[in-house]
């Protein structure tokens, strides 16, 4: 296709603005259109894998227990915010916001795997699908007769992604995993949190970062297998993703540091063992002192990065402590634990009578890299992200006006998109069972009557 | 270090009640804390979670209550006014579903319990009908 002359002559910024125009996102084709995935997943790890495929346009069918759905629907911050209905059978119950973000664009089918008819339905779906995502305990679906070994006979082109905690084999395989367990066993928590002078506690990341990362890596593996199937071999594949192994995969230099020197990396709180100054400072004042929300009344924090010698000099001048720049002139002088422990408190003294915005402004005026630590309110208000479509108000067909994340990446001709946040349990039973299994309305009503769906 | 000298614990010398100075509130703190057992007020100072010295008895009013307290035989004290309320994300926190029908920008959202009659299939009628 010839490039439009006007596109050719544009600045790069205008070119990006035009080809990635998020207002036209819904008018363009989807890159995984024609791929069908079954998602028998729960919590976040498995669902996020399926959701990434669905955002790219795969027809993704989430299969859950009838009426109640998967456990994540019943999880919400402090048991407060819910979207209603949970299912058509339980309109008075809602789905917790913990379910948000891991299940967009999916079709929702309910099936009770304990009933033989449900197993037959799963086999019919498998015969017509390209991908299956699953994160029950290792071997559960195999035992039920709907695992990869059985599906492979029905559909040798199927790519089956199992996700779990510790792998399908080996002595540790039988435990169920959660993000928190994966991070604890994978070594992540041991390096996040406070230095011993500050109490020494390891700290967890509040978001389920190892679930979402594992989901992304799993979706990435699925795409690689689709390539291999469609361009090389014609065959499906059985994939295993273990959360513990995923957690340790991103430990950067810490494993090799141990291997080379025997050093067990320590926590360093909001400082950085490799660079100084490069951390988060406590500012003494709240940005919203009169807010009724206690979360907003807390004092602010601001990131500052000035590890190059000349930047450190500027920073010292800014806080009227040129003597510190003399005492620690080179990065090697500053990066040691004792030096860092001496430098950061002086910076916090300067920040003690300032809000995070005031501290940030002072840094910027002196040519120093800084960024106030934003909360969800400030992230949600950020125009840049709304403009680029990574945050959006979605007019959801079932739940109305909801604020949600969109895909964090752009594809010019085949953009990913959020079509709906999620749906109630079993919302697409008729659509999926009639389209893929050829069932009549009365047959579907009968399945519902027998509590199979 | 004896238990009663541990940094974030104030064991009252008068009544032996153990007052826990929760790290969220007391990590860096200088001021007056009221014992949850006998209401005696103590002057306390902590820097980065480390106690500056032994608590000194003083006169009220107090600045803060401990986050949590126990008697010497491990009975919790939870009476409001004796211990501080747990830090909450919102003023009207209830710990149970709070029905809403509008998003924070004032548009319709399905955030309250419905009846079967409120539904068309799985979709609330108000959305099906375009309100
Ligand atoms: Zn007392």
């Amino acid at each position: 296709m010839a490039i439009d002359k006007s596109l050719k002559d544009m600045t790069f910024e205008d070119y990006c603005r035009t080809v990635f125009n998020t207002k036209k996102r819904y008018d363009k084709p989807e890159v995984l259109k024609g791929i069908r995935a079954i998602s028998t997943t729960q919590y976040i790890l498995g669902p996020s894998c399926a959701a990434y495929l669905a955002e790219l346009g795969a027809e993704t069918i989430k299969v859950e227990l009838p009426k109640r759905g998967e456990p994540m629907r019943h999880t919400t911050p402090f048991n407060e915010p819910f979207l209603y209905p949970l299912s058509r059978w339980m309109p008075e119950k809602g789905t917790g916001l913990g379910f948000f973000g891991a299940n967009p664009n999916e079709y929702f089918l309910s099936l009770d795997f304990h009933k033989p008819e449900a197993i037959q339905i799963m086999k019919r779906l498998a015969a017509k699908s390209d991908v299956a995502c699953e994160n029950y305990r290792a071997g559960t679906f195999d035992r039920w007769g709907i695992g990869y070994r059985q599906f492979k006979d029905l559909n040798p082109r199927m790519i089956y992604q199992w996700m779990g905690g510790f792998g399908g084999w080996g002595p540790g395989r039988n435990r169920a995993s959660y993000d928190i367990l994966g991070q604890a066993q994978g070594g992540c928590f041991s390096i996040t949190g406070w230095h011993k002078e500050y109490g020494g506690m390891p700290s967890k990341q509040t978001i389920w970062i190892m679930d979402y990362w594992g989901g992304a890596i799993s979706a990435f593996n699925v795409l690689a297998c689709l390539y291999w199937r469609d361009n090389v071999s014609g065959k499906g594949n059985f994939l295993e993703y273990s959360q513990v192994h995923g957690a340790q995969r991103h430990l950067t230099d810490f494993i090799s540091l141990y291997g080379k020197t025997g050093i067990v990396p320590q926590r360093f709180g909001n400082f950085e063992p490799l660079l100084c100054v490069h951390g988060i400072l406590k500012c003494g004042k709240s940005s919203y002192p009169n807010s009724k929300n206690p979360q907003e009344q807390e004092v602010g924090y601001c990131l500052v990065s000035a590890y190059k010698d000349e930047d450190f000099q500027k920073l010292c001048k800014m806080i009227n402590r040129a003597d510190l720049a003399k005492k620690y002139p080179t990065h090697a002088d500053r990066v040691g634990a004792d030096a860092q422990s001496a430098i950061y408190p002086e910076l916090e003294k300067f920040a003690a009578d300032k809000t995070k915005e005031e501290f940030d402004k002072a840094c910027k005026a002196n040519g120093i890299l800084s960024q106030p630590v934003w909360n969800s309110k400030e992230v949600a208000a950020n125009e840049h992200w709304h403009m680029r479509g990574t945050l959006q108000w979605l007019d959801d067909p079932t739940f109305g006006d909801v604020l949600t994340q969109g895909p964090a990446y752009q594809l010019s001709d085949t953009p990913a998109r959020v079509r709906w946040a999620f749906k109630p349990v079993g919302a697409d039973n008729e659509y999926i069972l009639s389209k893929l299994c050829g069932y009549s309305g009365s047959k579907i009503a009968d399945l519902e009557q027998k509590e199979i769906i | 270090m004896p238990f009663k000298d541990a940094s974030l614990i104030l064991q009252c010398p008068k009544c032996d009640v153990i007052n826990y100075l929760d790290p969220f509130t007391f990590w860096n703190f200088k001021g007056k804390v009221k014992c949850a057992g006998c209401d005696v007020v103590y002057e306390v100072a902590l820097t980065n979670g480390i106690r500056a010295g032994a608590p000194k008895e003083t006169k009220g009013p107090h600045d803060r209550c401990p986050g949590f307290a126990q008697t010497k035989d491990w009975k919790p004290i939870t009476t409001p006014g004796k211990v501080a309320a747990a830090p909450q994300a919102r003023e009207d926190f209830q710990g149970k579903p709070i029905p809403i029908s509008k998003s924070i920008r004032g548009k319709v959202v399905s955030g309250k319990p419905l009846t079967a009659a409120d539904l068309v299939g799985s979709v609330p009628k108000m959305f099906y009908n375009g309100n």
Side-chain angles (χ1 to χ4, degrees):
Chain A
M1 194 172 72
I3 294 181
D4 193 322
K5 188 169 183 305
S6 62
L7 280 177
K8 209 176 150 206
D9 295 337
M10 281 176 183
T11 63
F12 183 69
E13 193 191 343
D14 282 343
Y15 179 77
C16 292
R17 198 192 307 278
T18 308
V19 299
F20 296 132
N21 185 348
T22 52
K23 292 209 171 70
K24 296 196 172 157
R25 197 181 253 177
Y26 292 88
D27 307 334
K28 294 180 182 176
E30 293 170 299
V31 74
L32 289 185
K33 183 103 184 162
I35 297 295
R36 180 176 299 130
I38 316 172
S39 168
T40 46
T41 59
Q42 47 186 351
Y43 299 107
I44 300 290
L45 173 64
S48 65
C49 168
Y52 294 132
L53 301 175
E55 281 178 6
L56 288 166
E59 183 184 86
T60 304
I61 303 163
K62 172 137 179 161
V63 188
E64 297 174 282
L65 265 181
K67 299 186 180 162
R68 281 185 61 80
E70 64 130 313
M72 204 65 210
R73 284 189 183 265
H74 308 279
T75 309
T76 206
F78 298 112
N79 205 28
E80 285 196 85
F82 289 83
L83 293 175
Y84 295 80
L86 176 67
S87 70
R88 93 177 68 136
W89 303 278
M90 291 195 190
E92 80 289 1
K93 293 246 179 338
T95 298
L97 295 195
F99 199 65
F100 227 102
N103 300 278
N105 292 5
E106 293 170 1
Y107 295 92
F108 288 86
L109 176 71
S110 58
L111 272 184
D112 183 352
F113 293 123
H114 302 96
K115 311 249 164 86
E117 293 94 329
I119 302 294
Q120 292 312 313
I121 291 170
M122 274 303 283
K123 288 183 172 174
R124 284 177 181 239
L125 296 180
K128 294 185 178 180
S129 296
D130 301 279
V131 179
C133 311
E134 184 248 296
N135 71 327
Y136 280 58
R137 269 181 212 236
T140 304
F141 273 61
D142 188 80
R143 200 171 69 237
W144 289 346
I146 44 174
Y148 179 67
R149 284 194 285 188
Q150 296 88 12
F151 284 174
K152 195 185 174 204
D153 291 339
L154 300 164
N155 177 3
R157 287 168 58 82
M158 170 170 271
I159 294 150
Y160 189 109
Q161 171 74 65
W162 175 76
M163 291 155 274
F166 312 97
W169 48 274
R173 73 183 184 283
N174 269 335
R175 299 173 72 192
S177 179
Y178 299 94
D179 173 278
I180 193 169
L181 209 58
Q183 290 207 53
Q185 205 181 89
C188 299
F189 289 150
S190 76
I191 45 168
T192 308
W194 296 102
H195 187 254
K196 63 176 187 297
E197 287 178 28
Y198 291 81
M201 282 270 283
S203 174
K204 67 186 273 297
Q205 173 56 265
T206 298
I207 53 170
W208 292 302
I209 195 163
M210 275 302 112
D211 276 348
Y212 278 105
W213 150 275
I217 293 294
S218 300
F220 161 81
N221 291 341
V222 165
L223 297 181
C225 289
L226 283 169
Y227 171 82
W228 189 70
R229 183 191 75 174
D230 294 344
N231 297 285
V232 181
S233 69
K235 290 183 193 162
N237 228 329
F238 179 48
L239 314 177
E240 185 202 82
Y241 176 81
S242 150
Q243 197 157 46
V244 176
H245 301 311
Q248 57 81 19
R249 176 65 181 86
H250 79 166
L251 286 180
T252 66
D253 54 317
F254 294 119
I255 295 292
S256 28
L257 180 68
Y258 175 74
K260 191 170 176 193
T261 64
I263 291 171
V264 177
Q266 61 178 324
R267 291 178 286 282
F268 218 48
N270 286 329
F271 312 167
E272 162 63 57
L274 301 176
L275 300 169
C276 178
V277 170
H278 191 74
I280 299 169
L281 299 181
K282 185 177 185 175
C283 305
K285 282 168 70 180
S286 163
S287 305
Y288 315 93
N290 302 320
S291 168
K292 286 182 179 170
N293 184 336
Q295 210 69 47
E296 292 174 13
Q297 290 163 12
E298 72 166 22
V299 300
Y301 293 84
C302 190
L303 167 165
V304 59
S305 179
Y307 57 87
K308 285 187 191 160
D309 297 343
E310 72 227 54
D311 289 339
F312 182 66
Q313 280 171 22
K314 287 186 213 161
L315 187 64
C316 292
K317 202 173 156 220
M318 178 180 110
I319 66 166
N320 299 313
R321 290 296 305 271
D323 59 306
L324 286 174
K326 280 214 184 78
K327 190 172 176 190
Y328 306 106
T330 70
H331 188 256
D333 297 320
R334 295 192 286 282
V335 78
D338 290 344
Q340 293 212 29
S341 301
I343 291 166
Y344 278 96
E346 297 309 316
L347 297 171
E348 290 195 335
K349 271 185 206 161
F350 176 79
D353 63 346
K354 295 176 181 62
T355 64
K356 59 186 176 186
E357 288 80 13
E358 287 163 353
F359 183 81
D360 177 61
K361 201 175 157 194
C363 288
K364 294 223 161 70
N366 286 280
I368 298 158
L369 193 148
S370 61
Q371 166 63 42
V373 174
W374 277 352
N375 59 28
S376 300
K377 173 195 178 106
E378 290 151 347
V379 168
N382 189 271
E383 193 196 1
H384 183 70
W385 292 346
H386 282 275
M387 191 185 282
R388 291 171 50 80
T390 48
L391 278 181
Q392 67 183 109
W393 282 100
L394 180 71
D395 186 14
D396 187 87
T398 315
F399 300 113
D401 194 45
V402 292
L403 180 60
T404 183
Q405 299 98 317
Y409 50 90
Q410 311 282 356
L411 287 70
S412 64
D413 291 7
T414 54
R417 68 206 69 176
V418 176
R419 290 180 284 162
W420 54 82
F422 56 86
K423 294 188 192 182
V425 179
D428 298 300
N429 283 353
E430 285 86 354
Y431 174 69
I432 296 297
L433 292 176
S434 58
K435 178 178 150 184
L436 296 180
C437 301
Y439 288 176
S440 64
S442 58
K443 168 83 177 164
I444 294 167
D446 183 49
L447 290 170
E448 198 178 305
Q449 175 80 39
K450 291 180 183 157
E451 300 193 333
I452 293 158
I453 61 172
Chain B
M1 180 167 54
F3 181 65
K4 66 186 173 63
D5 294 336
S7 280
L8 288 162
I9 285 171
L10 166 60
Q11 185 164 15
C12 179
K14 299 247 155 165
C15 71
D16 269 347
V17 155
I18 303 157
N19 297 283
Y20 291 85
L21 310 181
D22 61 283
F24 186 84
T25 318
F26 291 98
W27 198 251
N28 287 297
F29 177 78
K30 194 170 191 293
K32 296 174 184 176
V33 178
K34 187 173 77 170
C35 170
C38 64
D39 291 349
V40 170
V41 176
Y42 293 95
E43 226 164 82
V44 173
L46 294 140
T47 310
N48 287 329
I50 295 171
R51 198 151 92 181
K56 275 201 291 282
E57 194 181 326
T58 183
K59 293 264 175 288
H62 63 286
D63 297 309
R64 280 174 201 174
C65 290
F68 178 68
Q70 282 176 332
T71 62
K72 210 187 171 189
D73 53 349
W74 312 113
K75 292 207 179 73
I77 299 171
T78 53
T79 322
K82 300 277 185 185
V83 290
Q88 305 294 7
R90 43 193 277 184
E91 203 185 18
D92 57 347
F93 177 83
Q94 299 176 1
K96 59 184 183 188
I98 298 172
I100 55 157
S101 50
K102 295 266 167 71
S103 66
I104 57 163
R105 62 174 192 167
K107 296 200 175 178
V108 182
V109 60
S110 180
K112 62 178 183 191
L114 306 167
T115 65
D118 294 330
L119 295 180
V120 175
S122 297
V123 179
K125 249 183 213 164
M126 53 188 177
F127 295 111
Y128 188 80
N129 297 333
N131 305 315

